[in-house]
Amino acid sequence: MNDSLKSAFDEYNNLKSRKRRNYKACYDSFLEYCDIFSNYSLKELFNNMITLHEVEQACKKYFLSSKKTKSLEAINRFLSAIDLFYSEYLIPHGIKCEPLENGCRNKQVIKRICDGINEDIKQKIYLPLSDDEVEITKKLVYELDENKFYTFGQKIIFELFLNYGFKAQVIFDMPKDALDLENRILLIENGNESTIKLELDDDLVAAFEKYCVLQKYPDRKYLFTNTKGKKLASSSVLDSVKQKAIKKKIEGINSTTIALKGVEKLISKGFTISEIRRFTGFEVQKVIDVSEYMLIGKDIDEIINSKLAQFN
């Protein structure tokens, strides 16, 4: 154990015990990780040894060792705890750490942590695509053959993911008669929840009209099918796009990351968690994770107070 780090955490926790009660487990995990630096003083530790890599590995250890910390919120909590310890304790004690100067709670760090965690757990933590990744994905989608029903159907599915945030299973389970072109309606059924009538815009109406002409299986059960007219599977949805991305060595493009970008759009438009859950099929925790991700790097005090001011 690094005794100087333990003493610093103990002192800081005693000073901030009421405000920082939930952070003690974060500091305990960081202290345990720093066993490999047990012979360094506090100043030597942060001046010479601690980098963002160490913070990321300690956060991963914290996440994997706890039965309760299985969400993006837990990762945010850990990184916030380190940032606060640095700004409220180390800096006032004259200790600087260059890698922590700009804070470690940023999207690049979180993405690397999630990528590392996803290699070790079955339930993956997915993050929405960035704006740059969306543009790359759009280019790959636009390269798909528009004259074949399957690949053109993949284009429509991509638009449904990106603009409405539908969970893949909602699309897979959509029956053929969910589409009512005459009334420009797409019925969205999500388990036992009430059916939602989605009003289609002109572009989607035109796309569905073309898709229905191209479809080789008029008597199919499901709206979207594979090349054999059967129900889509998770392994096949957007497979053409994923294969193109792999060839170009682009990682992280899949139905979930695209759909979560759609969830991000819904949150930005003011949809509530309950509305998003009912509409998209994503569980509450996924929606909360996206909300947390959107707050990274933003001043939460300013956001809340500016919104409250609108009602005064």
Side-chain angles (χ1 to χ4, degrees):
M1 179 183 295
N2 187 304
D3 293 330
S4 62
L5 180 60
K6 183 180 185 305
S7 297
F9 277 149
D10 287 344
E11 182 179 356
Y12 180 67
N13 283 328
N14 288 334
L15 291 172
K16 303 290 182 179
S17 60
R18 292 183 179 178
K19 293 183 179 180
R20 310 290 185 235
R21 190 174 302 166
N22 293 332
Y23 289 171
K24 187 178 184 304
C26 303
Y27 297 133
D28 288 345
S29 288
F30 189 79
L31 180 62
E32 184 178 351
Y33 176 81
C34 287
D35 279 349
I36 57 177
F37 305 123
S38 59
N39 295 325
Y40 292 86
S41 69
L42 189 65
K43 187 172 184 178
E44 290 172 335
L45 179 64
F46 282 92
N47 281 173
N48 305 320
M49 306 309 299
I50 297 301
T51 68
L52 287 178
H53 174 76
E54 276 67 49
V55 174
E56 291 165 14
Q57 293 303 307
C59 182
K60 180 180 174 182
K61 183 180 183 66
Y62 165 71
F63 187 97
L64 295 175
S65 63
S66 174
K67 294 180 179 179
K68 297 181 179 179
T69 56
K70 300 303 181 188
S71 70
L72 186 61
E73 183 180 1
I75 296 173
N76 279 332
R77 184 188 309 122
F78 182 92
L79 297 179
S80 294
I82 300 301
D83 281 343
L84 287 169
F85 176 69
Y86 181 64
S87 63
E88 295 183 348
Y89 185 88
L90 293 180
I91 292 295
H93 282 75
I95 299 174
K96 286 198 172 184
C97 179
E98 190 66 32
L100 301 185
E101 277 294 302
N102 295 320
C104 53
R105 187 172 172 265
N106 63 66
K107 291 184 177 181
Q108 291 76 22
V109 170
I110 289 176
K111 189 176 189 307
R112 288 196 295 268
I113 292 171
C114 290
D115 287 344
I117 288 172
N118 286 346
E119 295 177 2
D120 297 310
I121 61 176
K122 293 180 180 179
Q123 181 61 41
K124 292 187 175 183
I125 298 179
Y126 289 104
L127 302 175
L129 293 182
S130 67
D131 291 339
D132 289 342
E133 289 170 330
V134 168
E135 291 306 311
I136 292 171
T137 309
K138 281 183 178 179
K139 290 179 181 178
L140 297 177
V141 171
Y142 294 158
E143 291 175 1
L144 297 176
D145 191 341
E146 293 192 357
N147 296 313
K148 294 181 179 179
F149 84 85
Y150 176 71
T151 47
F152 189 70
Q154 297 285 293
K155 282 191 169 189
I156 298 177
I157 290 173
F158 170 76
E159 295 296 334
L160 294 175
F161 284 154
L162 184 62
N163 294 318
Y164 300 104
F166 292 123
K167 191 175 182 179
Q169 199 60 49
V170 174
I171 302 295
F172 299 161
D173 293 341
M174 200 171 283
K176 176 190 171 186
D177 58 9
L179 177 64
D180 180 357
L181 282 175
E182 182 178 351
N183 293 303
R184 302 167 65 95
I185 293 292
L186 184 65
L187 296 180
I188 310 301
E189 295 183 293
N190 181 10
N192 295 323
E193 302 288 357
S194 58
T195 300
I196 297 172
K197 296 179 179 180
L198 175 63
E199 297 178 2
L200 302 177
D201 60 27
D202 291 342
D203 289 341
L204 270 178
V205 169
F208 273 118
E209 286 176 342
K210 178 175 179 178
Y211 175 73
C212 290
V213 171
L214 292 173
Q215 245 290 353
K216 292 184 177 180
Y217 302 94
D219 298 326
R220 64 193 183 280
K221 180 178 179 181
Y222 298 99
L223 180 58
F224 295 103
T225 69
N226 60 22
T227 55
K228 297 181 179 180
K230 303 299 182 182
K231 185 177 182 179
L232 288 172
S234 57
S235 59
S236 61
V237 66
L238 293 178
D239 56 347
S240 303
V241 174
K242 287 185 286 187
Q243 288 169 13
K244 287 176 176 287
I246 291 172
K247 288 181 180 179
K248 295 188 178 184
K249 297 183 179 180
I250 303 170
E251 298 180 356
I253 294 177
N254 56 61
S255 61
T256 303
T257 57
I258 298 169
L260 290 180
K261 188 65 176 180
V263 170
E264 184 179 295
K265 290 182 179 181
L266 295 178
I267 294 171
S268 297
K269 291 178 179 178
F271 281 68
T272 67
I273 291 176
S274 180
E275 289 166 343
I276 293 172
R277 178 184 65 82
R278 286 172 175 267
F279 183 53
T280 68
F282 277 110
E283 59 271 27
V284 169
Q285 187 58 59
K286 276 285 194 298
V287 182
I288 293 175
D289 282 351
V290 175
S291 299
E292 288 285 334
Y293 190 61
M294 292 171 68
L295 287 175
I296 294 170
K298 296 183 179 180
D299 188 330
I300 186 64
D301 292 342
E302 181 181 344
I303 291 173
I304 289 176
N305 284 301
S306 65
K307 288 184 176 181
L308 290 174
Q310 296 174 13
F311 298 99
N312 294 333

